[in-house]
Amino acid sequence: MGILHDDLVIIRPAEREGEASLITVNCPDKTGLGCDLCRIILFFGLSIVRGDVSTDGKWCYLVFWVQGKSTTRWSLLKKRLVGVCPSCSSASGISFYRSELQPPRPPDVFLLKFSCYDRKGLLHDVTAVLCELELTIKKVKVSTTPDGRVMDLFFITDTRELLHTKKRQEDTCGRLNDVLGDAVISCDIEMVGPEITACSQTSSFLPSAIPEDMFNLEMPDELPSGIKTSESVSITMDNSLSPAHTLVQIVCHDHKGLLYDIMRTLKDYNIQISYGRFFTKQKGKCEIDLFIVQADGKKMVDPSKQNALSSRLLMELYRPLRVAVVSRGPDTELLVANPVELSGKGRPLVFYDITLALKMLNTCIFLAEIGRHIIGDREWEVYRVLLDEGDGLFVPRNEIERGVWKMLMGWE
């Protein structure tokens, strides 16, 4: 007798406005499961306001209190959460860990070629449709012609793994037509081969147009929001409170994807959480207590390892993303970079938030690109957006940087 498949994830939507919805996950454990779950919750536009995690190393029990959109598709969210949970047959650890050693087959990549007449907010509206359809943007190249037409090239993968079918392709183009109406000129989707997708692979060369100081590991005195870094994050480690675990205590200011940023860092360091709790307090302050062990099941007593983990957590919570607005001669370019997990997954909804912020700032996009680059010992996803300041209202560059940063961090 095992737990029923439908009971791996149980969701109880909020009964009244302003209340939190409850997500319960009860399944076999694996290192990084918390990161995978938090990433999906973030993709669905939900904020985790409280969390409890416990595991005995084989079986885990996680509870998340979340708030967000009234339009959340709870049944689809449950399906995606169940999809990353190890099967119940893996509780013994044998079959599951063997499968973990075999990397999953990379998803098929498709090229969406989309042409239409330009207008303000266009790129965000297209991006919103792709997110709604669970199409993940791997790379994008957007350009505007002198006669006001836009050619969008999106390299995308399909979470539902149906984009090879004619119906899924027709539904995607149909949804874009519904949203953009008469602005659409053409829409075409085709699978691309290895010779094309190779062009979008990670590069070890950082383009000269991207300033290296964006990836500086030194702490800035002040964040783009105006918050002093000295007032932002506190991390302490204690080995005296538990005979078997290291206690990591974090106090910081809340931001969008906070728990995901912590979990992905621990996943990259192959750290296991035996017990943890997370909750937000008044004025956006968060407190996190995590009882952790290393991959060998022992507490972390090596000071150098403690310092390395603490320093990485500090940086990820100070600056989970990098934002800069730079001059390109007479033009202005927006640069956004975020670190990629060792598993190869990037932070969800970054391009969505960038385009939404620019739409709200009444700023048009002339050209946009997404690429991956290795800087130091890390892989980064870099978004380059050339802004069109020709006919629009002039927006100061520091206001653009601040507006994009706040949107990405979920701050008012």
Side-chain angles (χ1 to χ4, degrees):
M1 293 292 291
I3 190 169
L4 295 176
H5 188 267
D6 285 346
D7 291 336
L8 291 176
V9 177
I10 298 175
I11 298 179
R12 190 181 69 194
E15 298 179 356
R16 289 182 292 273
E17 185 177 354
E19 292 185 346
S21 301
L22 189 65
I23 300 174
T24 303
V25 181
N26 188 15
C27 69
D29 194 17
K30 69 171 183 178
T31 301
L33 176 61
C35 171
D36 298 339
L37 296 172
C38 289
R39 188 180 190 280
I40 292 172
I41 291 172
L42 178 59
F43 178 82
F44 276 76
L46 299 171
S47 298
I48 301 173
V49 296
R50 182 182 167 193
D52 280 290
V53 178
S54 61
T55 179
D56 60 3
K58 292 184 177 181
W59 202 273
C60 65
Y61 183 73
L62 306 95
V63 184
F64 299 109
W65 287 260
V66 301
Q67 292 180 331
K69 304 175 182 177
S70 60
T71 56
T72 299
R73 294 171 288 176
W74 296 110
S75 59
L76 184 58
L77 172 60
K78 177 175 179 176
K79 182 179 180 180
R80 296 292 170 250
L81 293 173
V82 169
V84 299
C85 293
S87 64
C88 295
S89 62
S90 67
S92 63
I94 299 177
S95 62
F96 169 69
Y97 288 110
R98 282 182 180 170
S99 65
E100 276 289 281
L101 296 176
Q102 301 174 357
R105 182 183 70 86
D108 293 327
V109 179
F110 295 81
L111 174 60
L112 167 63
K113 293 186 290 187
F114 184 77
S115 177
C116 61
Y117 294 104
D118 196 14
R119 63 169 172 77
K120 290 180 180 179
L122 172 70
L123 190 53
H124 173 71
D125 294 341
V126 174
T127 303
V129 170
L130 298 183
C131 291
E132 174 191 331
L133 296 173
E134 293 189 286
L135 299 172
T136 303
I137 302 172
K138 308 299 289 185
K139 187 177 179 67
V140 61
K141 195 148 192 176
V142 178
S143 57
T144 307
T145 62
D147 62 354
R149 298 187 183 191
V150 176
M151 174 58 73
D152 297 347
L153 301 177
F154 288 92
F155 289 88
I156 56 179
T157 58
D158 186 6
T159 301
R160 302 178 192 177
E161 299 184 346
L162 294 172
L163 202 54
H164 62 281
T165 65
K166 184 177 180 181
K167 183 179 185 306
R168 177 70 159 154
Q169 294 180 10
E170 290 177 344
D171 289 345
T172 300
C173 289
R175 181 64 184 136
L176 287 168
N177 276 280
D178 291 342
V179 172
L180 302 178
D182 296 337
V184 177
I185 299 174
S186 65
C187 179
D188 182 62
I189 300 174
E190 62 182 50
M191 185 183 293
V192 294
E195 69 281 0
I196 297 179
T197 56
C199 298
S200 63
Q201 297 301 309
T202 299
S203 169
S204 58
F205 298 99
L206 186 65
S208 58
I210 302 177
E212 291 189 11
D213 58 6
M214 273 192 71
F215 309 96
N216 193 338
L217 295 181
E218 295 182 3
M219 300 297 177
D221 293 330
E222 185 175 291
L223 299 174
S225 62
I227 295 177
K228 298 291 184 182
T229 54
S230 59
E231 303 171 357
S232 182
V233 183
S234 169
I235 297 177
T236 58
M237 294 190 181
D238 194 330
N239 277 311
S240 65
L241 296 179
S242 169
H245 302 88
T246 297
L247 171 62
V248 180
Q249 293 181 304
I250 303 173
V251 180
C252 60
H253 193 79
D254 193 16
H255 67 250
K256 185 188 296 184
L258 168 64
L259 201 54
Y260 166 72
D261 290 327
I262 295 172
M263 293 293 189
R264 67 177 170 82
T265 303
L266 297 178
K267 179 182 179 180
D268 285 352
Y269 273 74
N270 205 19
I271 297 294
Q272 299 173 349
I273 301 173
S274 297
Y275 174 74
R277 64 174 185 172
F278 162 88
F279 60 92
T280 56
K281 303 174 69 176
Q282 293 182 347
K283 298 182 180 180
K285 281 290 185 180
C286 297
E287 293 186 2
I288 305 101
D289 294 333
L290 304 171
F291 287 86
I292 64 170
V293 293
Q294 301 175 116
D296 58 5
K298 299 179 180 179
K299 62 166 60 177
M300 184 179 289
V301 295
D302 186 337
S304 63
K305 291 183 178 180
Q306 289 185 16
N307 290 335
L309 177 59
S310 179
S311 297
R312 179 57 63 87
L313 284 170
L314 275 170
M315 180 56 67
E316 299 306 327
L317 298 181
Y318 276 131
R319 302 172 69 189
L321 303 104
R322 311 298 171 91
V323 180
V325 178
V326 298
S327 297
R328 292 286 174 260
D331 300 318
T332 299
E333 186 173 37
L334 167 69
L335 299 170
V336 178
N338 65 281
V340 177
E341 296 175 31
L342 290 182
S343 64
K345 295 179 180 178
R347 188 187 194 89
L349 299 182
V350 173
F351 197 57
Y352 176 93
D353 285 339
I354 292 171
T355 54
L356 178 56
L358 294 176
K359 181 179 180 179
M360 295 177 65
L361 288 167
N362 201 31
T363 301
C364 295
I365 296 172
F366 180 74
L367 186 146
E369 292 183 353
I370 301 175
R372 290 194 173 190
H373 306 278
I374 296 177
I375 298 98
D377 61 344
R378 309 190 68 183
E379 182 179 355
W380 295 77
E381 204 163 46
V382 180
Y383 300 77
R384 301 178 61 186
V385 182
L386 190 64
L387 305 179
D388 184 356
E389 300 176 300
D391 300 323
L393 178 66
F394 175 75
V395 181
R397 293 175 181 178
N398 63 342
E399 187 175 331
I400 293 174
E401 181 177 342
R402 187 180 296 266
V404 172
W405 171 266
K406 286 188 173 182
M407 182 65 68
L408 289 166
M409 300 293 282
W411 290 342
E412 298 295 335

